[in-house]
Amino acid sequence: MKANIPKVLPTSPRSDEGFLNPGHHKSSLAVLTVAALGIVYGDIGTSPLYALKEVFSEEHGLPLTRDNLLGVVSLILWGLTIVVSLKYVTLILRADNRGEGGIMALVALALKSVGARSRWFGPLAIVGLIGAALFFGDGVITPAISVLSAIEGLEVATPALKPYVVPLTVVVLVMLYAIQRKGTAGIGKWFGPVVLVWFAVLAAMGGINIVAHPDILAALNPLHALRFLVHNGWLAFLALGAVVLAFTGAEALYADMGHFGKKPIRIAWFTVVFPGLALNYLGQGALLMSAPDALSNPFYRMLGSWSVYPLVVLSTMATVIASQATISGTFSITQQAIALGYLPRMRIVYTSEREMGQIYVPFVNWLQLTAVVLAVVGFGSSSNLASAYGIAVTATMLMTTILTFFVIRYGWKYNALLAWLATGFFIVIDLAFFSANTLKILHGGWFPLVLGAIAMLVMLTWQQGRGLVYDNLRQHTVPLEDFLESLFMGEPIRVAGTAIFFRAEGDGVPHAMLHNLMHNKILHERTVFLTIRNADIPRVPASERVKVENLGHDCYQIDIHYGFMDERDIPAALGLCKSFGLEFDPMQTSYFISRQNVIPRVGSGMALWREALFATMSRNARDAADFYRVPANRVVELGTQVEI
């Protein structure tokens, strides 16, 4: 089954500096770098809260010895170097789709690279959907494990507070999701400075412990990582499932490339994030060398009991910021999936007049909160959640590497050997981490997989259902040109104002127009047929947004082109028609939309229960006034019954 992704519009160059506010002034490199710290690196920056202690948890059975400690710390440091520095920061940031990144942008770029007629087109579309679906699962686990691991510091201060950890975590998460409707424009400016302080504290904590026990610096030698893997065999393989927790959040630096550009993300990583993480992991290793009993929570024991409460406050702030980035990413990928035809229309609220990326999707917000609370209450601790965390992350990493290969091979036109050399090494590493995490499926790993499977089912059902509806409607299509010719052979009664009829790509006469003529016997003095064309690029330049065709008799065909990250503002797009001699008075313009009432039937190619699911989604999809930002009081909806 091929993905419903249209032909690509001509590309245009885009600056690599990045924009905090697309379409507004360029921000300075320093401002962008600090902002990137808050948005991009919150997730990976909070991994020291739980990563190292999980490697030596009882579940893995790995004894805490000096050699094993050196090996694990070395493995984490060189994993950060290879997976994050080389794979993501150096290689994958180059695979930008007109300056944008993320799994949806990458799959669009990969599909464009191979071409619609390639035998790889369908499989790559599925790979991209798997990555997107797993992102939804990851978006549930990240807030749960991050905030829970921060508040677990209270247990270190006093065991008497342990019963309050889960309730407090739920309270923090509910407050976080409750403020989403107001947007983050007001508090977002503090994200970067807070996370900058967080990394400074990570580095200082690590440095203090390294000075006390400098023997840990031997972990910088990669031979310790190799010896650990060789000598421990099966136990080392199991440990990989926890080591990968140190790399969670690496996808974020690629997904947020369009907001900041490559340069600020790279500078932030090499000057602040990587040094802070490396020093802290080395510091935790140094602490465990001298105090193995600190293994229960080495992070909160690095500076002694006096520091626990301040660290709980700071880490809670850092994990809330990390969770905010994940929530915003979920809203963004939902919007992109809707634009590409993989999800039904939903209500999307734009929470900022200055930043186009500031959106809020109420249905997704409360659905995700429900899943996050269930995860916190059901798993009960960050250690239990750690088993569920890795598999979604490693699977998404693997999908990203596979898609990158096709971009390098067919998009950049590198020879096969060079393409394999560039990605084959990373595929082996991704497979190793993913394989280690598959062993945790029965111990919590099933949770994000189930969430991802549900998301995948919904997306495929919606895409296939839309195709079936389109095929059904096309069988009864009346060609527009022939219809207009016969219509104006007489003199239809015309009334003042402008009527805009939404018309699907390749469709004939809109059903809304046929209903209007049948029941009202009138035609507006100016009639516009409006077609929304979705391109598989992030954003379409304003100069390429609108195309107008005069059909005669004051009838016009207007095509509006949108990228999958563009804000769909129909009135604003219609304003661009002024250069074509068309102006629209909002008070004299009505939008006619045909809402399909889908009736399931056997024999369409989908199981009846999936047909029923698609019909339910169709009935509950938000109207065009919500999604296309048209005035609701100017919309006329006319029903059409369609069988699939």
Side-chain angles (χ1 to χ4, degrees):
M1 175 176 26
K2 291 190 176 182
N4 183 25
I5 297 182
K7 188 182 295 184
V8 183
L9 291 177
T11 57
S12 62
R14 176 176 176 172
S15 169
D16 184 43
E17 295 297 326
F19 294 86
L20 278 175
N21 304 320
H24 294 269
H25 67 279
K26 186 181 296 184
S27 301
S28 70
L29 183 60
V31 171
L32 284 169
T33 302
V34 174
L37 282 174
I39 301 300
V40 177
Y41 292 112
D43 189 3
I44 195 170
T46 53
S47 58
L49 284 166
Y50 47 80
L52 190 59
K53 73 172 183 177
E54 292 306 322
V55 177
F56 290 100
S57 66
E58 294 181 2
E59 177 186 349
H60 298 109
L62 185 68
L64 179 60
T65 64
R66 183 179 185 279
D67 288 342
N68 286 345
L69 189 58
L70 288 173
V72 168
V73 174
S74 181
L75 201 59
I76 290 175
L77 295 179
W78 284 98
L80 289 170
T81 301
I82 295 172
V83 174
V84 185
S85 299
L86 294 182
K87 176 184 170 182
Y88 280 95
V89 177
T90 303
L91 174 63
I92 291 182
L93 280 186
R94 294 187 60 210
D96 65 290
N97 191 335
R98 279 195 173 188
E100 298 290 346
I103 190 69
M104 298 301 282
L106 184 61
V107 69
L109 191 62
L111 293 175
K112 172 190 171 184
S113 300
V114 301
R117 296 183 179 180
S118 170
R119 61 191 175 94
W120 294 109
F121 192 93
L124 284 180
I126 298 298
V127 167
L129 285 181
I130 292 173
L134 289 172
F135 182 88
F136 287 109
D138 185 27
V140 170
I141 302 295
T142 296
I145 191 173
S146 298
V147 177
L148 187 56
S149 62
I151 296 181
E152 280 177 343
L154 295 174
E155 297 180 32
V156 178
T158 170
L161 293 176
K162 183 175 182 179
Y164 301 99
V165 169
V166 169
L168 282 174
T169 301
V170 171
V171 169
V172 171
L173 289 168
V174 169
M175 292 174 60
L176 174 62
Y177 280 88
I179 66 171
Q180 295 303 310
R181 60 187 178 86
K182 298 182 179 180
T184 57
I187 61 173
K189 61 184 178 182
W190 299 106
F191 286 1
V194 169
V195 176
L196 181 60
V197 171
W198 169 254
F199 280 112
V201 171
L202 288 183
M205 292 168 65
I208 291 171
N209 283 272
I210 291 170
V211 170
H213 303 282
D215 290 353
I216 192 62
L217 292 176
L220 295 173
N221 186 345
L223 290 178
H224 285 287
L226 293 176
R227 290 194 192 104
F228 171 77
L229 294 173
V230 172
H231 292 164
N232 287 281
W234 177 250
L235 289 179
F237 180 71
L238 292 177
L240 289 179
V243 168
V244 77
L245 296 176
F247 319 138
T248 56
E251 282 283 329
L253 65 88
Y254 176 53
D256 288 307
M257 176 170 56
H259 293 107
F260 307 102
K262 303 171 187 176
K263 197 170 184 179
I265 290 175
R266 285 172 171 159
I267 291 175
W269 171 254
F270 286 113
T271 61
V272 178
V273 182
F274 191 19
L277 291 174
L279 286 171
N280 195 265
Y281 283 120
L282 285 168
Q284 289 190 42
L287 172 66
L288 293 176
M289 274 188 170
S290 60
D293 60 315
L295 183 60
S296 60
N297 204 319
F299 178 83
Y300 282 109
R301 296 181 184 272
M302 292 180 75
L303 298 181
S305 59
W306 67 268
S307 67
V308 173
Y309 288 114
L311 283 177
V312 168
V313 174
L314 181 59
S315 60
T316 300
M317 294 171 64
T319 53
V320 165
I321 292 172
S323 302
Q324 177 60 60
T326 302
I327 296 168
S328 299
T330 303
F331 293 159
S332 178
I333 203 170
T334 299
Q335 182 189 39
Q336 295 171 30
I338 293 171
L340 290 172
Y342 292 115
L343 286 175
R345 287 194 302 265
M346 303 178 195
R347 185 184 175 209
I348 296 178
V349 179
Y350 294 84
T351 59
S352 172
E353 294 182 357
R354 295 179 62 246
E355 297 188 27
M356 188 164 55
Q358 290 278 342
I359 62 173
Y360 167 61
V361 187
F363 176 77
V364 173
N365 184 72
W366 300 117
L367 182 65
Q368 189 178 51
L369 172 61
T370 302
V372 169
V373 170
L374 288 175
V376 170
V377 175
F379 286 91
S381 70
S382 61
S383 295
N384 293 335
L385 273 168
S387 298
Y389 199 14
I391 193 160
V393 173
T394 53
T396 304
M397 286 180 172
L398 181 59
M399 301 300 109
T400 298
T401 309
I402 292 172
L403 292 169
T404 303
F405 167 81
F406 285 91
V407 172
I408 295 174
R409 177 69 181 94
Y410 298 102
W412 300 347
K413 307 298 183 184
Y414 286 12
N415 64 58
L417 178 60
L418 189 57
W420 274 113
L421 289 175
T423 58
F425 176 59
F426 299 122
I427 288 177
V428 171
I429 293 175
D430 290 340
L431 282 172
F433 283 125
F434 177 72
S435 300
N437 275 278
T438 58
L439 301 174
K440 299 182 178 181
I441 290 178
L442 297 179
H443 303 282
W446 57 269
F447 185 66
L449 292 181
V450 168
L451 295 177
I454 293 172
M456 186 77 173
L457 173 65
V458 169
M459 289 191 288
L460 288 177
T461 299
W462 182 254
Q463 183 215 20
Q464 189 175 355
R466 287 178 72 246
L468 292 171
V469 167
Y470 176 76
D471 291 341
N472 184 290
L473 292 174
R474 188 171 54 181
Q475 294 175 7
H476 305 92
T477 292
V478 179
L480 180 61
E481 294 77 7
D482 295 344
F483 176 81
L484 292 178
E485 183 179 348
S486 62
L487 178 65
F488 288 106
M489 289 178 66
E491 285 295 330
I493 299 174
R494 308 196 76 161
V495 296
T498 299
I500 297 180
F501 294 95
F502 282 76
R503 179 174 177 243
E505 294 183 48
D507 199 3
V509 181
H511 285 257
M513 182 180 186
L514 294 175
H515 278 278
N516 187 52
L517 287 170
M518 182 183 303
H519 296 290
N520 299 322
K521 316 294 184 185
I522 60 170
L523 190 69
H524 287 69
E525 63 180 356
R526 186 167 61 175
T527 301
V528 172
F529 302 99
L530 183 64
T531 300
I532 307 299
R533 297 186 178 272
N534 297 308
D536 62 347
I537 57 176
R539 294 187 174 91
V540 174
S543 60
E544 302 174 16
R545 177 80 67 210
V546 175
K547 178 183 177 183
V548 178
E549 180 184 358
N550 191 337
L551 302 176
H553 304 283
D554 279 327
C555 295
Y556 302 88
Q557 170 66 44
I558 298 180
D559 293 335
I560 301 180
H561 298 270
Y562 286 116
F564 55 79
M565 295 186 71
D566 276 325
E567 176 186 343
R568 281 154 170 71
D569 191 334
I570 298 298
L574 292 176
L576 300 175
C577 295
K578 187 176 181 179
S579 61
F580 295 91
L582 285 178
E583 292 189 54
F584 296 90
D585 180 355
M587 299 307 297
Q588 296 293 320
T589 302
S590 298
Y591 301 84
F592 288 81
I593 301 170
S594 178
R595 177 182 284 274
Q596 282 86 32
N597 182 23
V598 178
I599 308 299
R601 64 177 174 82
V602 179
S604 67
M606 282 201 303
L608 185 59
W609 66 270
R610 287 186 66 203
E611 293 179 7
L613 173 62
F614 174 74
T616 301
M617 289 191 289
S618 299
R619 286 192 294 269
N620 293 320
R622 299 297 299 188
D623 58 33
D626 276 331
F627 188 66
Y628 293 120
R629 306 194 75 178
V630 298
N633 63 334
R634 307 300 303 173
V635 173
V636 179
E637 289 201 15
L638 299 169
T640 301
Q641 184 166 299
V642 180
E643 286 189 343
I644 61 170

